[in-house]
Amino acid sequence: MGSLRSAKAAVSPRASFLSGLKTGSGLAAASFLLAVSFGAISTSQGWGHLAPVICSMAVFSGSAQFALLATMGSGGGMAGAVTSAALINSRFIPMGIAVAGDLRGGRFRRALEGQAVVDGSWAAAHLGGGRFDRYLLFGATAIQWPAWVAGTALGVVVSPDPDLLHRLGLDVLTPALFVALLFDEVRRERINRLPALLGAVLAAGLIVFLPAGPALVGAALASLVALFRAPAGPESADEAKSAEEAGQAEEAGQAEEAGQAEEAGQAEEAERAAFPVHSDEEVAR
């Protein structure tokens, strides 16, 4: 795992950002289709043509925006809808705390960079050991946001049947992508396996009594298990690798010094052979 993080760190910011664009393209495609559905449903509920697009530009969270639709569509007031969306988006608090150490600059810049923290980008940018590739995070989000806004605008203008994506089976694309990211994360770090298993059990139990959104928020409590377990050694692996590299550098320096001393000795012997030094007795003869 330490070698994986070292390799990631060696990648240039530009290459990392381009990798983020590539990773985020699949998420952007799924987001686009989901946003079309959001635009169509919001228009059918009387949101008009401008409000859904502004909502997607500002909120940029499918789960929160669909919570707004569900609450207001069932007769709930604006306060209840906003509260429901805020509770769902509360997951970004621990996610933001986790990535905060890898952001740069002062408070304003760090807050601005933190806007790139969305579910798929956050998971894709995780290097392990609580570290994140900020440029990959930026790239993955940079392609998703315009896709989300454009999909919403298309749904508002075209107004397709809101159940069309469900009938075509396209509504499973986003969950499938997140499952793929989850399997990749669990495969890379063994410490994540227990929280993932507990989260699945909690989600399966809570979904019987709660809607999908609150059930997932409750299942996220399984991540607290990681606070009481020591990492599987990514930091120690890095330290061991650094110590090994330092030892190799020291050995190389010693070998270089020995080589230089040997070359100096050979040069001195060659000089003596070319200009032999005779004693006074040999000169007198």
Side-chain angles (χ1 to χ4, degrees):
M1 191 64 199
S3 60
L4 173 63
R5 290 175 55 192
S6 299
K8 286 276 189 180
V11 178
S12 67
R14 181 177 182 275
S16 187
F17 184 82
L18 293 176
S19 177
L21 290 177
K22 181 179 179 181
T23 302
S25 60
L27 296 168
S31 297
F32 179 83
L33 295 174
L34 192 62
V36 171
S37 179
F38 171 76
I41 296 174
S42 58
T43 302
S44 66
Q45 289 188 2
W47 281 39
H49 292 80
L50 189 59
V53 178
I54 294 178
C55 181
S56 287
M57 293 175 65
V59 180
F60 185 34
S61 172
S63 55
Q65 291 177 228
F66 278 102
L68 285 172
L69 287 176
T71 305
M72 297 181 68
S74 61
M78 179 60 69
V82 172
T83 301
S84 176
L87 287 174
I88 291 178
N89 272 359
S90 63
R91 70 188 186 278
F92 290 119
I93 296 176
M95 291 169 64
I97 294 173
V99 79
D102 293 291
L103 303 180
R104 298 292 181 269
R107 292 183 178 180
F108 178 77
R109 178 180 173 181
R110 291 162 67 86
L112 187 62
E113 291 186 355
Q115 302 307 306
V117 177
V118 294
D119 299 306
S121 302
W122 184 87
H126 188 217
L127 299 176
R131 300 299 306 277
F132 291 84
D133 186 334
R134 58 195 289 266
Y135 290 102
L136 193 150
L137 177 75
F138 299 157
T141 301
I143 193 172
Q144 290 183 73
W145 185 80
W148 180 255
V149 176
T152 302
L154 180 63
V156 168
V157 173
V158 178
S159 297
D161 185 350
D163 293 330
L164 179 61
L165 295 180
H166 177 72
R167 290 201 303 267
L168 295 177
L170 299 178
D171 55 332
V172 302
L173 288 178
T174 299
L177 286 170
F178 280 107
V179 169
L181 290 172
L182 174 63
F183 277 128
D184 182 66
E185 186 69 18
V186 170
R187 178 181 59 82
R188 286 189 300 168
E189 285 198 286
R190 298 178 63 181
I191 193 175
N192 294 328
R193 295 178 183 176
L194 180 58
L197 179 61
L198 289 177
V201 172
L202 283 174
L206 292 175
I207 199 68
V208 178
F209 308 100
L210 300 174
L216 291 177
V217 172
L221 294 175
S223 62
L224 297 176
V225 174
L227 296 177
F228 304 99
R229 304 185 64 197
E235 294 295 338
S236 59
D238 283 350
E239 293 174 358
K241 183 176 179 62
S242 300
E244 181 181 357
E245 291 175 351
Q248 292 175 350
E250 184 177 356
E251 291 177 0
Q254 292 175 352
E256 184 178 358
E257 291 177 0
Q260 291 175 351
E262 184 178 356
E263 290 177 358
Q266 292 176 352
E268 185 177 353
E269 292 178 0
E271 183 178 357
R272 289 177 179 176
F275 304 99
V277 178
H278 301 285
S279 62
D280 294 340
E281 184 179 350
E282 289 178 337
V283 172
R285 290 177 184 174

